[in-house]
Amino acid sequence: MLAAPVNPADINMIQGTYALLPDLPAVGGNEGVGQVVEIGSHVTSLKPGDWVIPTDAAFGTWRTDAVFNEDTLVKLPRDIPLLCAANLSVNPCTAYRMLIDFETLGPGDSIIQNGANSSVGQAVIQIAAALGIKTINVIRNRPNLQELVHRLKSLGADHVITEEMLRKPEMQDIFKKVPKPRLALNCVGGKSTTDMLRHIQQKGTMVTYGGMAKQPVTVPVSAFIFKDVKLRGFWMTQWKKDQAQNKDRFSGMILNLCDLIHKGQLRAPACTEVPLKDYQIALEASMKPFTTSKQVLIM
Amino acid sequence: MLAAPVNPADINMIQGTYALLPDLPAVGGNEGVGQVVEIGSHVTSLKPGDWVIPTDAAFGTWRTDAVFNEDTLVKLPRDIPLLCAANLSVNPCTAYRMLIDFETLGPGDSIIQNGANSSVGQAVIQIAAALGIKTINVIRNRPNLQELVHRLKSLGADHVITEEMLRKPEMQDIFKKVPKPRLALNCVGGKSTTDMLRHIQQKGTMVTYGGMAKQPVTVPVSAFIFKDVKLRGFWMTQWKKDQAQNKDRFSGMILNLCDLIHKGQLRAPACTEVPLKDYQIALEASMKPFTTSKQVLIM
């Protein structure tokens, strides 16, 4: 391996609270980029020097060397930045699929998302901007709020608001500039989610892909009956399982994302590079509240 | 009009709490059957003596006489029982659409529903039985519980359980006999709904069409992400609006339901017939808890 990030799902997997747990003993890490050192005599799609990312979860990316079947790897172009490659196979893919698979959105449409500063959230902002889709981005109030607002806007965010703002009449000012969102992306749960749901368009969809607040999603019955909102979930791991017979869909998506990277439309999240031997520092840092930098292990 | 039931939505409409409110002054009642007395010179699809039901909500069925456009009426076969005709255009249609439109179910599949003693619930039991779909029916504990269980089973219910039972390990005994449901129908909200959701199949759908408990629907984040359940809503009034350009779909469904009535597979709910002049008695009776008989105004 060359580099591998520390994602919240990695931590949950180590804590044993994730829905997918590898057999023990196991290597941590679900995402990352490696370089092919040597190939077996039957390998046709890869050669030494190629950059590769894992197609499946629970791959164990926090390591220096390993032997893998070529079917479990997807080749990347070598001309994208290392940190983009390391952060490609989970979060930008989640953002891409959620923007594509649930509502048919086009230029001028809008979406709303909470946890907009998460790695997925930042990818959503950039991919949506590349597609001409307006984004309303909800974040928690915090020290240095303006700095974060500025950073997300520099990625292409159209509107950045705090969770408290969701309940204020000033929200209507936003809807003078952009239409009400047909799609809401939720990685928080609890009150933030119910408040966000209030602003979704009639017959719109909310997709839940995380539960940072460790609270359930609460929906007024009237939203289902009279507003006809659809509530769905998304889990990249499940999507990959469902596409097991159709791996071209995954590699096709990866090429689309690399294309955005080439065009400068998709950047890696803010990262802190940590040598693998200092993994303890990286794990501790990744669990602090209001982290704005992703810990990436460098092998 | 000949006969018109008193439904919960009618009461909500009078209370002003419904999502659809007619201009005042207005006549109550959304459902019922009438008989054509006289036709205008341009009317081609109806003749005096025909039985008709309204195609739209907020029709004002609690009256003796009215003049309507033929487009707002659908003709019924005359050989179905009067109480079946009076109760046809809202509740059995809701049951039918929910069983057809959200999951593709066939013989041997199962569904779960709460409020199974409601008019919609009773229609669900009968239509599902006609289609070979197994039903797990949740009702509130009450005096004379066994009597109600017996009545619902006589309609074709496969399993009838109380809300408390949803949380007990004995539920697993049911799933030795029928598969886990792919479809859950919810007209309650609150704890009953969350408990019901727990038993739904991976990738299954819950459709909310009522909120009798006046509490929101609460969903663990994991149900969305790891179980991939879909939460949807259904409102017959909206369905009819959406089909405004395609009225054959409504009349086709009515004929399908009449066919089930002919075959003895769909009966009217238990009814109490009340003369229109005694409407106050009917309204009061319809608002009592644990009503097991539907009040039907007879003109």
Side-chain angles (χ1 to χ4, degrees), chain A residues 5-296:
Chain A
V6 180
N7 284 318
D10 303 331
I11 305 288
N12 295 343
M13 209 178 253
I14 293 168
Q15 290 167 333
T17 60
Y18 205 60
L20 177 78
L21 297 175
D23 293 332
L24 294 176
V27 177
N30 289 278
E31 199 177 33
V33 61
Q35 185 162 32
V36 177
V37 179
E38 207 176 321
I39 57 169
S41 57
H42 296 294
V43 173
T44 56
S45 64
L46 298 173
K47 60 177 190 307
D50 283 347
W51 277 11
V52 288
I53 57 173
T55 52
D56 289 319
F59 196 82
T61 54
W62 299 347
R63 62 171 119 196
T64 54
D65 299 87
V67 178
F68 293 113
N69 191 305
E70 68 177 316
D71 290 346
T72 65
L73 300 167
V74 164
K75 186 176 161 178
L76 286 193
R78 276 287 298 268
D79 57 355
I80 63 170
L82 182 73
L83 289 177
C84 281
N87 287 286
L88 194 57
S89 68
V90 176
N91 294 319
C93 292
T94 300
Y96 183 88
R97 293 253 68 91
M98 292 197 299
L99 284 170
I100 301 277
D101 289 351
F102 294 90
E103 290 281 343
T104 307
L105 301 171
D109 285 330
S110 82
I111 66 117
I112 188 168
Q113 65 166 342
N114 57 21
N117 186 42
S118 70
S119 300
V120 172
Q122 292 184 39
V124 164
I125 290 170
Q126 297 172 85
I127 299 170
L131 297 171
I133 298 164
K134 305 289 179 191
T135 57
I136 303 164
N137 299 280
V138 186
I139 53 176
R140 287 173 297 173
N141 203 353
R142 66 184 68 206
N144 301 325
L145 177 68
Q146 280 315 310
E147 199 180 300
L148 179 57
V149 170
H150 181 75
R151 193 151 64 79
L152 296 181
K153 287 200 168 176
S154 76
L155 291 177
D158 295 286
H159 301 275
V160 183
I161 59 177
T162 61
E163 292 188 339
E164 292 70 30
M165 168 102 177
L166 279 175
R167 293 190 287 279
K168 296 204 173 141
E170 287 79 5
M171 281 301 288
Q172 296 314 315
D173 296 342
I174 292 179
F175 299 125
K176 287 173 191 154
K177 295 174 199 145
V178 297
K180 289 225 166 196
R182 279 228 302 283
L183 180 67
L185 306 178
N186 169 44
C187 68
V188 177
K191 197 166 175 45
S192 155
T193 305
T194 314
D195 288 339
M196 190 165 70
L197 195 59
R198 206 181 290 176
H199 299 293
I200 207 174
Q201 220 178 84
Q202 182 92 7
K203 295 183 192 285
T205 302
M206 176 181 275
V207 182
T208 292
Y209 69 98
M212 295 297 183
K214 300 198 186 299
Q215 284 167 11
V217 172
T218 300
V219 190
V221 164
S222 61
F224 286 122
I225 304 176
F226 302 128
K227 214 170 158 186
D228 199 12
V229 297
K230 304 172 189 73
L231 265 74
R232 303 285 303 271
F234 185 77
W235 188 28
M236 195 62 214
T237 301
Q238 186 61 48
W239 186 89
K240 287 175 179 168
K241 274 189 210 166
D242 293 345
Q243 303 297 324
Q245 300 308 315
N246 193 6
K247 293 222 168 171
D248 288 352
R249 276 197 87 193
F250 181 66
S251 52
M253 168 169 61
I254 292 295
L255 288 178
N256 281 346
L257 292 170
C258 287
D259 193 39
L260 293 181
I261 294 168
H262 283 141
K263 290 182 186 156
Q265 294 179 312
L266 179 61
R267 281 178 267 167
C271 290
T272 304
E273 299 180 45
V274 182
L276 180 58
K277 71 174 173 47
D278 297 331
Y279 67 90
Q280 280 183 312
I281 296 170
L283 290 182
E284 277 163 28
S286 73
M287 288 189 282
K288 283 196 184 126
F290 299 116
T291 49
T292 51
S293 182
K294 168 151 293 198
Q295 307 296 307
V296 177

Side-chain angles (χ1 to χ4, degrees), chain B residues 205-279:
Chain B
T205 301
M206 176 182 276
V207 182
T208 291
Y209 69 98
M212 294 297 183
K214 299 197 187 301
Q215 284 168 10
V217 172
T218 301
V219 190
V221 163
S222 60
F224 286 121
I225 305 176
F226 303 128
K227 212 171 161 184
D228 199 13
V229 296
K230 303 172 189 75
L231 264 73
R232 303 285 303 272
F234 185 77
W235 189 27
M236 196 61 214
T237 301
Q238 186 62 47
W239 186 89
K240 287 176 179 170
K241 275 189 209 167
D242 293 345
Q243 302 297 325
Q245 302 307 317
N246 193 6
K247 294 223 165 169
D248 288 353
R249 274 197 90 191
F250 181 66
S251 52
M253 167 169 60
I254 292 294
L255 287 179
N256 281 346
L257 291 171
C258 288
D259 193 39
L260 293 181
I261 294 169
H262 283 141
K263 288 181 186 156
Q265 293 179 313
L266 179 60
R267 282 178 264 168
C271 289
T272 304
E273 300 181 44
V274 181
L276 181 58
K277 71 174 172 49
D278 297 331
Y279 67 91

Side-chain angles (χ1 to χ4, degrees), chain B residues 116 125 135-139 145 148-150 152-153 157-162 165 174:
Chain B
I125 290 170
T135 57
I136 303 163
N137 300 280
V138 186
I139 53 176
L145 177 68
L148 178 57
V149 171
H150 181 75
L152 296 181
K153 289 202 167 176
D158 295 286
H159 300 275
V160 183
I161 59 177
T162 62
M165 170 103 177
I174 292 179

Side-chain angles (χ1 to χ4, degrees), chain B residues 277-295:
Chain B
K277 71 174 172 49
D278 297 331
Y279 67 91
Q280 282 185 310
I281 297 171
L283 290 181
E284 277 165 28
S286 73
M287 288 189 283
K288 285 196 183 125
F290 299 116
T291 49
T292 51
S293 182
K294 169 152 291 203
Q295 307 296 306

Side-chain angles (χ1 to χ4, degrees), chain B residues 1 6 38 42-43 75 86-87 94 129 142 210 218 228 248 253 261:
Chain B
M1 297 299 298
V6 179
E38 209 176 320
H42 296 293
V43 172
K75 186 175 159 179
N87 286 287
T94 300
R142 65 185 70 208
T218 301
D228 199 13
D248 288 353
M253 167 169 60
I261 294 169

